[in-house]
Amino acid sequence: MATLSNSTNIFWQDCQIGRPERQKLLNQKGCVVWITGLSGSGKSTLACSLSRELHSRGKLSYVLDGDNLRHGLNKDLGFKAEDRTENIRRTGEVAKLFADAGLICVASLISPYRRDRDTCRAMLPDANFIEVFMNMPLELCEARDPKGLYKLARAGKIKGFTGIDDPYEPPINCEIEIKQENGNCPTPTMMAGQVVTYLENKGFLES
Amino acid sequence: MATLSNSTNIFWQDCQIGRPERQKLLNQKGCVVWITGLSGSGKSTLACSLSRELHSRGKLSYVLDGDNLRHGLNKDLGFKAEDRTENIRRTGEVAKLFADAGLICVASLISPYRRDRDTCRAMLPDANFIEVFMNMPLELCEARDPKGLYKLARAGKIKGFTGIDDPYEPPINCEIEIKQENGNCPTPTMMAGQVVTYLENKGFLES
């Protein structure tokens, strides 16, 4: 049951109740829905709407919000490059644990760098990492500016703000893209529906 | 829905599906069962047995094993004092998230220092942190030595090993104490039963 790892005194403990048993109990499959996009692109809105829609179907999900984690697990981290990377790595590791617990884990973070997102993807079997790209124009996000952060960034009061003076690298092969249709933004319900349909088609909503 | 925190650009996001809704879905209450004790005292054995017993009652639990986390979330941490403290802090933060998700989170770590355990306790409403002390004599743990670590520590090949050349501070006010009766160790089923009875009496096994 225990095997020695590379380190001299760390062992891996196995348990008889594992992911398959938990998934059967929940009648769903654990996975990570990773929502990436600019500030103001609707990540948190989608995360909330998605968790409501899943709950209404009797499915257990949990939202890991990048901002919220900075109050707890990641409160020792700032916004310099290596801290952002570590912020995303830890979030990925926790999301992996939630997926292993059988939950549909919804991670909502700007996560602007492709490499950081791919690090999280690589932690899981590929099919269990569902990258959702909030493909909204910067102008729209900036016009919304729900937290007033773009205004601060434009005034130079926040440095290294994604989209203003720090790059956002859009996904190349994301599983789901949320975007405007004919200049209209999808409603929260429509966005959640798009993700739920994907999860349903891929068999995540049954064990 | 969003309030500005002390930091200039971190907000707290609320969601309509919260802990009460998840707990109702699962028909249980989220909490942290924190198992502390010497290496070889039976922490992992209890964690496994407990997760089996809870599963047989249709309850969702998840085991956070200190050793396992060192392969993922905490793989950047070593064994010096501040790293051990950070290892336990992060585990506590993740356990808190699992409890918030509605799960019975079973954390299994030596966690030798009272201060570090109390830090984790303080993260949660007091009643939701259930400290389980594996009160087994050092001689017994050393005789078991399931991982061969006491032998290495006695030979000086591991430094700072709890119980040998680093202290274990027993809990003062733990919720549950697991110990020998008339010189006999409780079986895994008996140990799990003791914890399940506690959880049942405190109302954690219903929503």
Side-chain angles (χ1 to χ4, degrees):
Chain A
M1 299 281 277
T3 50
L4 200 54
S5 89
N6 292 333
S7 306
T8 49
N9 54 350
I10 309 176
F11 290 75
W12 189 264
Q13 290 293 341
D14 270 332
C15 241
Q16 285 177 31
I17 298 297
R19 183 170 183 156
E21 289 77 19
R22 290 186 289 269
Q23 294 188 149
K24 199 170 171 193
L25 180 66
L26 294 169
N27 191 28
Q28 65 185 45
K29 288 192 194 83
C31 61
V32 174
V33 176
W34 190 279
I35 307 175
T36 172
L38 293 171
S39 179
S41 62
K43 296 183 299 300
S44 298
T45 303
L46 169 56
C48 291
S49 181
L50 178 57
S51 70
R52 279 196 300 275
E53 179 60 28
L54 288 169
H55 189 266
S56 76
R57 294 173 179 232
K59 303 304 169 188
L60 184 65
S61 66
Y62 191 66
V63 175
L64 294 178
D65 182 283
D67 285 352
N68 292 7
L69 289 179
R70 283 187 175 275
H71 292 272
L73 178 65
N74 297 337
K75 70 179 172 191
D76 55 321
L77 301 174
F79 289 90
K80 57 185 178 184
E82 62 262 40
D83 281 7
R84 282 175 184 257
T85 294
E86 174 64 6
N87 182 50
I88 289 169
R89 184 193 74 83
R90 287 190 204 164
T91 306
E93 292 284 4
V94 173
K96 178 185 174 175
L97 294 174
F98 272 99
D100 186 49
L103 282 79
I104 297 166
C105 182
V106 182
S108 165
L109 297 91
I110 297 176
S111 47
Y113 303 131
R114 212 171 279 139
R115 194 185 55 183
D116 292 340
R117 296 192 302 267
D118 287 347
T119 299
C120 296
R121 180 185 287 274
M123 293 174 188
L124 289 139
D126 200 54
N128 292 356
F129 187 88
I130 299 144
E131 194 172 351
V132 181
F133 173 33
M134 304 300 293
N135 189 4
M136 298 292 162
L138 173 64
E139 303 71 44
L140 175 71
C141 300
E142 189 167 355
R144 287 175 174 167
D145 205 8
K147 306 173 186 173
L149 298 176
Y150 285 100
K151 194 166 284 184
L152 292 170
R154 290 287 185 195
K157 290 174 183 165
I158 301 175
K159 299 289 182 194
F161 194 73
T162 301
I164 304 299
D165 56 347
D166 213 60
Y168 178 83
E169 300 173 355
I172 294 171
N173 287 310
C174 63
E175 280 72 11
I176 299 172
E177 186 178 355
I178 309 272
K179 57 181 176 182
Q180 295 179 302
E181 298 284 349
N182 307 317
N184 294 319
C185 290
T187 65
T189 307
M190 285 164 67
M191 296 193 294
Q194 196 178 334
V195 178
V196 168
T197 300
Y198 181 93
L199 294 174
E200 197 163 35
N201 289 342
K202 296 290 182 180
F204 286 105
L205 303 188
E206 57 196 5
S207 63
Chain B
M1 299 283 277
T3 50
L4 200 54
S5 90
N6 292 334
S7 305
T8 49
N9 54 351
I10 308 176
F11 291 76
W12 188 263
Q13 290 293 342
D14 269 333
C15 242
Q16 285 177 29
I17 297 297
R19 184 170 182 154
E21 289 78 19
R22 289 186 290 268
Q23 293 187 150
K24 198 169 172 196
L25 180 66
L26 293 170
N27 192 29
Q28 65 186 45
K29 289 193 193 82
C31 61
V32 174
V33 176
W34 190 279
I35 308 174
T36 172
L38 294 170
S39 179
S41 62
K43 297 183 299 300
S44 298
T45 302
L46 169 55
C48 290
S49 181
L50 178 57
S51 70
R52 279 194 300 274
E53 180 58 29
L54 288 170
H55 189 265
S56 76
R57 293 171 179 236
K59 303 303 169 189
L60 183 66
S61 66
Y62 191 66
V63 176
L64 294 178
D65 182 282
D67 285 351
N68 292 7
L69 289 180
R70 282 186 175 276
H71 292 272
L73 178 65
N74 297 336
K75 70 179 172 189
D76 54 321
L77 302 173
F79 289 90
K80 57 185 180 185
E82 62 262 40
D83 281 7
R84 281 175 184 258
T85 294
E86 174 65 5
N87 182 50
I88 289 168
R89 184 192 74 82
R90 287 190 204 166
T91 307
E93 292 284 6
V94 173
K96 178 184 175 177
L97 294 174
F98 272 100
D100 185 49
L103 282 79
I104 298 166
C105 182
V106 182
S108 165
L109 297 91
I110 296 175
S111 47
Y113 303 131
R114 211 171 280 138
R115 195 184 56 182
D116 292 340
R117 295 192 302 267
D118 286 347
T119 299
C120 295
R121 179 185 288 275
M123 292 175 190
L124 288 141
D126 202 52
N128 292 357
F129 187 87
I130 300 144
E131 194 171 352
V132 182
F133 174 32
M134 304 300 294
N135 190 3
M136 299 291 162
L138 174 63
E139 304 70 44
L140 175 70
C141 299
E142 189 167 355
R144 287 175 174 169
D145 205 7
K147 304 173 187 174
L149 299 176
Y150 285 100
K151 195 166 284 184
L152 292 170
R154 290 289 184 195
K157 291 175 184 164
I158 301 176
K159 300 289 182 194
F161 194 73
T162 302
I164 304 299
D165 56 349
D166 212 61
Y168 179 83
E169 300 172 355
I172 294 171
N173 287 311
C174 63
E175 280 73 11
I176 299 171
E177 187 178 356
I178 308 273
K179 58 182 176 182
Q180 294 180 302
E181 297 285 348
N182 307 316
N184 294 320
C185 290
T187 65
T189 307
M190 286 164 66
M191 298 193 294
Q194 196 177 333
V195 178
V196 168
T197 299
Y198 181 94
L199 294 174
E200 197 163 35
N201 290 341
K202 296 289 183 181
F204 286 104
L205 304 190
E206 57 196 6
S207 64

